[in-house]
Amino acid sequence: MFGNLSNMMGKLKEAQEKIEATKERLNTIFIDGEAGNGKVKVTVTANRLVKNISISDELTDKEEIEDYLLLALNKALEKAHSISETELAAAAKDGMPNIPGMDMFK
């Protein structure tokens, strides 16, 4: 009984380490978003940190810049969210012990 419990605890610790390593790796994955035919470009990490914003000199209208910026950021953040969810779920599933009746990641 205690051997199995000890093994499960070790697996849980391993899963936690995999998740943390995945979170660190997500900081190195860059996602671009753009709007206004490339007049506004943003780059975010898969951990949803904004790394760069580029606004074309062609844009001079404040409201237009704001609208394009929102569109570009939302596109990039949506992609980042999807990548992050997929990667973290895979890391968690790979490291979880096989506990009967606990099929959390189907």
Side-chain angles (χ1 to χ4, degrees):
M1 168 84 182
F2 291 111
N4 287 341
L5 182 60
S6 177
N7 187 27
M8 280 195 297
M9 294 304 287
K11 286 279 199 180
L12 287 172
K13 183 174 174 29
E14 184 180 312
Q16 185 178 18
E17 289 170 357
K18 282 185 178 186
I19 290 170
E20 290 303 315
T22 299
K23 285 180 181 178
E24 287 181 34
R25 190 173 55 75
L26 291 173
N27 280 327
T28 66
I29 298 172
F30 296 98
I31 297 110
D32 295 321
E34 65 176 55
N37 293 321
K39 292 178 184 172
V40 173
K41 298 177 183 177
V42 298
T43 302
V44 300
T45 69
N47 274 334
R48 295 169 291 238
L49 297 172
V50 178
K51 295 305 245 178
N52 188 47
I53 297 174
S54 173
I55 300 171
S56 170
D57 291 336
E58 295 175 38
L59 293 175
T60 57
D61 182 78
K62 181 180 182 263
E63 285 184 28
E64 187 177 29
I65 293 170
E66 290 171 346
D67 289 343
Y68 285 152
L69 186 55
L70 286 173
L71 287 170
L73 279 169
N74 284 329
K75 285 179 187 179
L77 291 173
E78 185 177 317
K79 290 178 199 174
H81 177 74
S82 178
I83 291 169
S84 177
E85 291 252 321
T86 301
E87 294 287 324
L88 289 173
K93 182 179 181 181
D94 288 344
M96 290 298 288
N98 186 14
I99 302 170
M102 296 282 295
D103 295 331
M104 298 181 340
F105 301 103
K106 280 192 168 186

